[in-house]
């Protein structure tokens, strides 16, 4: 799920949220920015300025819906950044 979200064109990076609660434990560590709950999935993202946020979050929900196994997908935009033109991505 994290790779799928990170691959969305307007996502700059995943975010664990202000209190670090948007994480999923996995063998060997945690997946930052995605929290899989019993009845829903929460995703925290930092997005690139430009497109309407509701369009970006709808795209992310659409990408994750097939992987969410019937769970609702909640997308939290933790920050919006500008000046990353030319397809460059923060941290990568």
């Amino acid at each position: 799920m994290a790779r799928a979200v990170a691959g969305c064109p307007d996502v700059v990076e995943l975010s664990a949220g202000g209190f670090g609660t948007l994480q999923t434990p996995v063998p060997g560590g945690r997946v930052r920015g995605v929290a899989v709950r019993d009845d829903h999935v929460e995703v925290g993202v930092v997005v690139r300025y430009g497109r309407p946020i509701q369009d970006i979050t709808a795209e992310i929900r659409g990408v994750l819906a097939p992987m969410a196994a019937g769970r609702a997908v909640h997308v939290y935009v933790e920050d919006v950044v500008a000046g990353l033109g030319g397809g460059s991505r923060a941290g990568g």
Side-chain angles (χ1 to χ4, degrees), residues 4-85:
V5 172
C8 291
D10 293 298
V11 172
V12 174
E13 65 182 350
L14 293 165
S15 171
F19 297 104
T21 59
L22 298 177
Q23 300 184 55
T24 298
V26 295
R30 295 184 174 272
V31 175
R32 185 176 152 264
V34 178
V36 179
R37 313 289 188 205
D38 289 337
D39 62 347
H40 65 280
V41 175
E42 297 174 307
V43 179
V45 292
V46 175
V47 299
R48 185 172 288 108
Y49 175 81
R51 285 179 57 210
I53 289 175
Q54 57 268 46
D55 292 353
I56 297 169
T57 57
E59 180 178 31
I60 293 168
R61 278 192 297 277
V63 165
L64 290 183
M67 297 177 235
R71 297 175 181 95
V73 176
H74 303 291
V75 180
Y76 301 102
V77 176
E78 299 292 334
D79 202 0
V80 177
V81 295
L84 297 174

